[in-house]
Amino acid sequence: MRPETRVRRLVREFGELLEPRDGGADLETIRERYRDDPCGFIEDVLGGVLLDYKRDMALSVRATT
């Protein structure tokens, strides 16, 4: 199945894509804002809800650069 066919099928099944939760910020702005805040990224950008153990996991894999 071609990629555009897959997208059309997803739109049919789930509806149009939502507007970005970050207000349309560019990639560099998002990168700077959430560089040291994986939990904030998951909650603010992805709309996730983190329980304590998931928060601990997200913090444990944070980049150390």
Side-chain angles (χ1 to χ4, degrees), residues 12-40:
R12 225 181 20 255
E13 291 180 22
F14 300 106
E16 292 292 330
L17 297 175
L18 300 174
E19 290 296 317
R21 295 176 60 96
D22 62 14
D26 65 16
L27 181 59
E28 189 58 36
T29 301
I30 293 171
R31 184 179 292 136
E32 288 297 318
R33 184 180 307 157
Y34 296 109
R35 181 181 310 266
D36 296 318
D37 187 12
C39 297

Side-chain angles (χ1 to χ4, degrees), residues 2-3 5 7 11 13 16-17 23 32 41 45-46 49 51-52 54-58:
R2 296 184 352 212
T5 304
V7 171
V11 168
E13 291 180 22
E16 292 292 330
L17 297 175
E32 288 297 318
F41 179 80
V45 177
L46 301 178
V49 177
L51 302 174
D52 288 339
K54 290 182 180 181
R55 184 174 300 283
D56 292 341
M57 234 187 303

